[in-house]
Amino acid sequence: MLPEGFLKNMRSLLGEEECALLESALSEEPSGALRLNPLKGNDECREELIKLLGLEKISYEQTGYYFEKDAVPGRRPFHDAGAYYIQDPSAMIPGALLCGKLFENAGNDASYRILDLCAAPGGKSTQIAAAMAGRGILVSNEINRSRAEVLSRNIERMGIRNAIVLNETSDKLAERFGGYFDAIVVDAPCSGEGMFRKDPEAVRQWSEENVSMCAERQKEILENAYLMLRPGGVMVYSTCTFEKSEDEDAVEAFMSAHPDMSPADTSFLKNVAEGCSDGMDGCKDAIRLWPMHFKGEGHFAALLEKKGESERAFPSGGFESASSVGNGKILRTFLSETVDEKTAGHIMNSRDRFRMFGDNLFLMPEETPSLSGLKVLRCGLHLGTFKKDRFEPSHAFALTLNVEDAKLVHRVNEDDAEEYVKGMTLEGNGSGWCLVMLDGFSVGWGKAGGGRIKNHYPKGLRIQG
């Protein structure tokens, strides 16, 4: 049952008739949707997946599709392989706004510094990373530690190389990254009214006091985001609530406090996304998604621009120190035996971006700034671990590779992949590290020898049962 205070607010905002339609929509079954991952596999692999799952195209997101409930994509090993990310269709709108603004007319060499400030569980970060195609640097931050760990796992699962995952407050980041980012997404913590039909806990936790508290917190987060956005940069502010105080009122107050911030045109998305409503009052360029008119949950998104131009700023402290790895011969031997010459060359040519954390080797994104003093969960791509006289590749590394990248590949069908992600040993030929592939998507590593393939799928990720 919906909170009476919420219904009263919606009647005031929408009128009796529209409020009744909203109440009815919130009792219906939500739509299921996902985004295919362009960082993994190829067009042919993805076309086969579209047929297998019976997917229906979403107009406003290049990689987005609706799925029927019986497709159960979250329970299939393609999900573990990072072939797709399950995401509500309305939650794709903020990312589509940012990517449309940045990449629609940009060349293939477009490189940006992008911050996803409230990033967990990773839907918008993985959506933006797909558009970035490995170029530039993506900083994905989440203040809640457990949610930041989920975010980091999703970054890994989707085979993303150029992301840094942080677990920090927005004010601490603002102290470090003043004027640093070309683009920022603020998917602000909110009262969650748009998720009422998917999350009963959001209904139980709703109160007028919580709405007011969220509005105050959003104001602080926006202020810190403003400090980190360079002149000429763009920002997306979004929530999954209907409350005007958290949506249009928040944006208008923010622009009033910062006259150099102004609304950007969103017609490029509204023209292809059926069911989008304009924002209210002075925020007509903003987008409102009502579940009685749009195939998805409730959402609000505004695209803003910061006037002016500036040279790219660098945070105090310069860049992370990076140096050649002392175990370089061991690494080169491993690469020559395991991956193709092009992939090995790319990694070794990027050794100025190597960073050691204990025995673990990371390949940082280009121009990674100083992260000293920050809580870092993931710093680019974890390549693997040095163990005495050998190098053991990471699961994250496997998930960035495609079939042409590995010297030894073991192809599995969906049934075998289900056994693999449970930790079972596979039968197969060859010797040495091999990449386990499901219909063109890498799932993880195995170690081949004696007609068997020892399972190296991480124990903490294995499916039980």
Side-chain angles (χ1 to χ4, degrees), residues 252-384:
E252 289 181 331
F254 175 64
M255 290 191 295
S256 178
H258 301 286
D260 56 343
M261 297 297 302
S262 60
D265 179 35
T266 56
S267 61
F268 66 89
L269 190 143
K270 290 179 182 178
N271 290 339
V272 295
E274 184 179 349
C276 285
S277 300
D278 290 338
M280 298 178 175
D281 296 339
C283 285
K284 296 297 183 184
D285 283 305
I287 292 174
R288 269 190 174 267
L289 305 174
W290 298 96
M292 63 279 205
H293 302 306
F294 183 84
K295 195 173 179 181
E297 304 311 292
H299 226 87
F300 171 87
L303 181 63
L304 307 172
E305 294 178 298
K306 194 173 190 177
K307 296 175 185 175
E309 296 182 7
S310 71
E311 295 293 327
R312 282 184 161 184
F314 296 98
S316 59
F319 296 95
E320 290 284 5
S321 60
S323 61
S324 297
V325 173
N327 293 312
K329 184 177 179 180
I330 294 174
L331 178 62
R332 282 192 293 271
T333 299
F334 163 79
L335 293 173
S336 68
E337 294 174 347
T338 310
V339 298
D340 75 306
E341 186 176 342
K342 181 179 178 182
T343 302
H346 174 75
I347 291 172
M348 292 309 299
N349 290 337
S350 303
R351 57 185 176 272
D352 61 323
R353 294 190 277 123
F354 287 168
R355 179 75 188 278
M356 293 293 297
F357 291 88
D359 294 326
N360 293 288
L361 175 63
F362 281 76
L363 179 61
M364 299 181 299
E366 293 182 8
E367 296 190 347
T368 299
S370 173
L371 303 174
S372 175
L374 300 177
K375 298 173 188 173
V376 182
L377 273 70
R378 181 170 298 273
C379 187
L381 174 60
H382 181 207
L383 289 170

Side-chain angles (χ1 to χ4, degrees), residues 37 39-40 81-82 154-161 396 399-400:
N37 186 3
L39 301 179
K40 301 200 62 168
N154 280 325
I155 292 287
E156 175 179 278
R157 181 172 63 86
M158 300 299 279
I160 295 167
R161 300 167 180 256
L399 293 175
T400 66

